[in-house]
Amino acid sequence: AQKVTQAQTEISVVEKEDVTLDCVYETRDTTYYLFWYKQPPSGELVFLIRRNSFDEQNEISGRYSWNFQKSTSSFNFTITASQVVDSAVYFCALSEAKAAGNKLTFGGGTRVLVKP
Amino acid sequence: ETGVTQSPTHLIKTRGQQVTLRCSSQSGHNTVSWYQQALGQGPQFIFQYYREEENGRGNFPPRFSGLQFPNYSSELNVNALELDDSALYLCASSPAGFLNYGYTFGSGTRLTVV
């Protein structure tokens, strides 16, 4: 069975501080996909990034960066120079790589509060 | 292009009643999945529909059922509502070739069972 753990339930920072969100996953699959989603107060889940299990190259996109380490089953996410608009709940998710019937297994989420 | 739209946005039902939630998938997306998100928790997979047939199901009882229509829109039906069914219900669509895209989620329907 797949499992995603986000140990941090809430993080509070002051604007312009960096924020790193931890994600640890469990799966028996050799091929899988990892995601980060952002959920603002409005409720919709906003897709941020997808990584497949063979792509351990870390990436920076604007103020966002990701650190995927297969050896430790971790997929951490960092917001650099946080802004008030970054306040939201962030979810890490894991998916099988089947041809059909894929489902996302989500972690419990980390609430990020950025104070001005 | 329009995104995923869900209706209604909020709903209050009485225990034992039945409810139908609706979802219009994003243009070009033929796969729809439904998730239940209890307050303070991550979303839980209910089921997925592809070409009008159920194509994967999570650990939910049979009183949770669904439909997908030829235009790829979908309905989630819940019978014999229980208090624990109170949650945000999220619909997500994706195009054929899931492996290249992430799902697009709607804003959800907030269901309260009293």
Side-chain angles (χ1 to χ4, degrees), chain A residues 37 39 50 91 100-102 104, chain B residues 35 37 42 48 55 99 103 106:
Chain A
Y37 281 89
Q39 187 174 43
R50 181 190 74 102
F91 290 97
N102 291 287
L104 288 165
Chain B
Y35 290 80
Q37 185 178 17
Q48 182 183 90
N55 189 39
L99 300 182
Y103 286 113

Side-chain angles (χ1 to χ4, degrees), chain A residues 10-35:
Chain A
E10 184 166 327
I11 298 175
S12 181
V13 298
V14 176
E15 205 169 18
K16 296 185 182 178
E17 289 183 340
D18 296 349
V19 180
T20 295
L21 308 181
D22 298 332
C23 173
V24 175
Y25 62 92
E26 296 176 27
T27 180
R28 293 182 178 179
D29 295 330
T30 56
T31 303
Y32 50 88
Y33 291 83
L34 293 163
F35 300 78

Side-chain angles (χ1 to χ4, degrees), chain B residues 1-94:
Chain B
E1 66 184 11
T2 58
V4 175
T5 57
Q6 293 185 242
S7 62
T9 55
H10 295 82
L11 201 54
I12 300 175
K13 288 286 190 178
T14 303
R15 188 173 50 184
Q17 285 188 317
Q18 178 267 343
V19 69
T20 297
L21 309 182
R22 295 177 175 82
C23 171
S24 293
S25 61
Q26 182 169 319
S27 176
H29 289 190
N30 58 10
T31 302
V32 173
S33 301
W34 287 90
Y35 290 80
Q36 180 196 65
Q37 185 178 17
L39 195 63
Q41 297 182 22
Q44 299 290 318
F45 175 74
I46 303 175
F47 44 55
Q48 182 183 90
Y49 277 83
Y50 172 66
R51 292 186 176 180
E52 302 179 53
E53 295 207 357
E54 188 177 290
N55 189 39
R57 188 177 182 94
N59 189 26
F60 281 80
R63 60 190 184 83
F64 285 79
S65 64
L67 285 173
Q68 186 179 32
F69 301 99
N71 65 355
Y72 305 130
S73 65
S74 177
E75 286 183 356
L76 164 65
N77 300 291
V78 187
N79 294 322
L81 283 166
E82 301 177 359
L83 297 179
D84 284 349
D85 296 332
S86 295
L88 179 67
Y89 288 85
L90 293 163
C91 172
S93 73
S94 66

Side-chain angles (χ1 to χ4, degrees), chain A residues 1-5 23-27 94 105-107:
Chain A
Q2 299 186 328
K3 184 179 179 181
V4 177
T5 302
C23 173
V24 175
Y25 62 92
E26 296 176 27
T27 180
L94 170 67
T105 299
F106 286 86

Side-chain angles (χ1 to χ4, degrees), chain A residues 23 36 56 58-59 65-69 74-78:
Chain A
C23 173
W36 276 98
E56 290 194 68
N58 295 314
E59 180 177 327
S65 62
W66 295 268
N67 186 343
F68 175 32
Q69 293 193 349
S74 67
F75 186 49
N76 298 336
F77 170 55
T78 297

Side-chain angles (χ1 to χ4, degrees), chain A residues 40-54:
Chain A
S42 54
E44 81 276 18
L45 286 166
V46 178
F47 169 75
L48 296 177
I49 189 174
R50 181 190 74 102
R51 271 289 177 269
N52 70 54
S53 52
F54 295 107

